[in-house]
Amino acid sequence: MADLQNTFSWSHSRRGVFETCPRRYYLVYYGSWGGWEPAAPPAVREVWIQKRLTTLPMWIGTLVHEAAEEALNALCRRGRPVQPDALLARTGARAAHQVEDSASGASLRASGKATVFQEHYYREPVEPETWTAAVEEVTRQVLAFLSEPVYRRLLQVPDRLMEVESLEQVDIDGVPVWVKLDALVGDGKGGCVIVDWKTGSAHNSAVIAEQLGVYGLYCQRRYRVPPSRLVAMHVNLRLGTREQHRVDDHTLEATRLAIRDSAAAMRDMLDDPERNLASQARFPMLPEGAPTCRTCPFRRTCGREVYS
């Protein structure tokens, strides 16, 4: 089997990391590379572990998305809905197993995508009631998904599901762009509906619109769907709200230019853009005292001694 190559690509989440902190961007996409290998240097493996860390809010979102994916795949592949009690039982068992493995340290020793909580890794005290409340919130949001009008409509037209959490790549002006739509649904008239599930309480509508613009550009390029036949919406399962976002010619062109400029800015930081080679010194840390540093998963290895 050929060795994996760290090639350049772009995604909405990658852009978010880059704009949040250049040093964090370097550690996620370059400093952690190869950390999964048994013979990886200890420092690289540690950064790779930190890259995998999750927090309670992130974990809630992951479990809810996994439950939604399971429910939609049941419709897509078998044409019939999941049983709510069985879905909740499987989600609850997965949650308990992940918390136990992370607390015991078993996740740290595992390869692949084992869940490692930032709270456990940094030995941050978390009350038992907090874990209980998190699992209860997962249950509440899964039930909200199952009663959501978008899902109830899909029960009637399961054959219209085109994609469910499928990792896809599309070329945008020479930039490989990765997307993973929560759900893509045909409207029965030659158009598409992009559905994005949200699980938090602090989402920014403008940022979501940018993300859905990327998805719209993907649908236009991959499926040749004109903007007039595209609808994009996000559904917040925590808040019980939904919002539709414009996907027109102007939005798609602005998205294309944003991807071009963002990718160029990322490449400008590299030592060798052609070979996608980077060095940490070219990716500065945030200014001393930046609020995001206090909860950054890389605060032990970013280079700032106060967190060592």
Side-chain angles (χ1 to χ4, degrees), residues 167-238:
L167 184 62
E168 302 289 343
Q169 188 182 90
V170 63
D171 182 278
I172 305 295
D173 297 346
V175 178
V177 175
W178 289 103
V179 297
K180 191 175 184 181
L181 283 64
D182 291 344
L184 180 63
V185 186
D187 66 0
K189 303 174 183 178
C192 293
V193 180
I194 300 163
V195 183
D196 194 60
W197 315 113
K198 297 300 182 187
T199 60
S201 58
H203 292 293
N204 183 295
S205 184
V207 174
I208 294 173
E210 292 174 355
Q211 177 185 10
L212 295 177
V214 176
Y215 294 168
L217 193 58
Y218 160 75
C219 291
Q220 182 196 45
R221 299 293 177 92
R222 176 60 58 84
Y223 294 103
R224 305 299 179 189
V225 179
S228 61
R229 302 302 310 160
L230 281 172
V231 175
M233 69 170 71
H234 82 267
V235 179
N236 191 306
L237 298 172
R238 177 183 287 269

Side-chain angles (χ1 to χ4, degrees), residues 42-296:
V44 175
R45 182 167 181 81
E46 195 67 18
V47 174
W48 176 70
I49 290 172
Q50 291 170 3
K51 175 185 175 179
R52 296 160 53 207
L53 297 180
T54 190
T55 63
L56 274 170
M58 292 166 59
W59 179 64
I60 290 171
T62 298
L63 287 174
V64 173
H65 274 81
E66 288 176 350
E69 179 182 1
E70 182 180 341
L72 292 178
N73 276 330
L75 287 179
C76 190
R77 295 170 184 171
R78 299 192 297 274
R80 59 177 185 269
V82 297
Q83 295 300 312
D85 289 346
L87 179 63
L88 290 172
R90 286 191 293 272
T91 302
R94 187 182 309 125
H97 178 72
Q98 290 174 354
V99 172
E100 181 180 350
D101 279 0
S102 178
S104 69
S107 298
L108 284 173
R109 299 185 294 272
S111 59
K113 297 183 178 181
T115 299
V116 184
F117 285 96
Q118 189 167 307
E119 291 85 351
H120 290 147
Y121 179 84
Y122 282 108
R123 299 182 180 180
E124 299 168 349
V126 180
E127 297 296 329
E129 294 80 7
T130 302
W131 296 104
T132 301
V135 175
E136 290 175 350
E137 179 61 23
V138 170
T139 299
R140 190 184 72 81
Q141 291 199 37
V142 172
L143 289 172
F145 166 81
L146 294 173
S147 62
E148 164 61 40
V150 173
Y151 174 70
R152 305 306 297 179
R153 173 58 179 158
L154 287 173
L155 292 177
Q156 302 170 13
V157 287
D159 57 308
R160 291 187 186 175
L161 273 165
M162 299 168 63
E163 291 185 17
V164 178
E165 294 282 359
S166 177
L167 184 62
E168 302 289 343
Q169 188 182 90
V170 63
D171 182 278
I172 305 295
D173 297 346
V175 178
V177 175
W178 289 103
V179 297
K180 191 175 184 181
L181 283 64
D182 291 344
L184 180 63
V185 186
D187 66 0
K189 303 174 183 178
C192 293
V193 180
I194 300 163
V195 183
D196 194 60
W197 315 113
K198 297 300 182 187
T199 60
S201 58
H203 292 293
N204 183 295
S205 184
V207 174
I208 294 173
E210 292 174 355
Q211 177 185 10
L212 295 177
V214 176
Y215 294 168
L217 193 58
Y218 160 75
C219 291
Q220 182 196 45
R221 299 293 177 92
R222 176 60 58 84
Y223 294 103
R224 305 299 179 189
V225 179
S228 61
R229 302 302 310 160
L230 281 172
V231 175
M233 69 170 71
H234 82 267
V235 179
N236 191 306
L237 298 172
R238 177 183 287 269
L239 303 178
T241 60
R242 65 188 61 81
E243 182 178 353
Q244 188 166 313
H245 298 264
R246 177 179 298 177
V247 184
D248 54 19
D249 287 309
H250 174 76
T251 299
L252 297 185
E253 177 61 11
T255 299
R256 185 187 69 82
L257 295 176
I259 292 172
R260 180 200 66 184
D261 294 345
S262 175
M266 293 173 182
R267 283 172 163 157
D268 282 346
M269 305 282 280
L270 299 176
D271 297 338
D272 186 339
E274 291 299 319
R275 295 192 292 163
N276 195 38
L277 298 179
S279 57
Q280 180 169 294
R282 293 175 62 92
F283 294 80
M285 292 179 283
L286 294 179
E288 188 76 42
T292 55
C293 292
R294 292 196 297 269
T295 57
C296 177

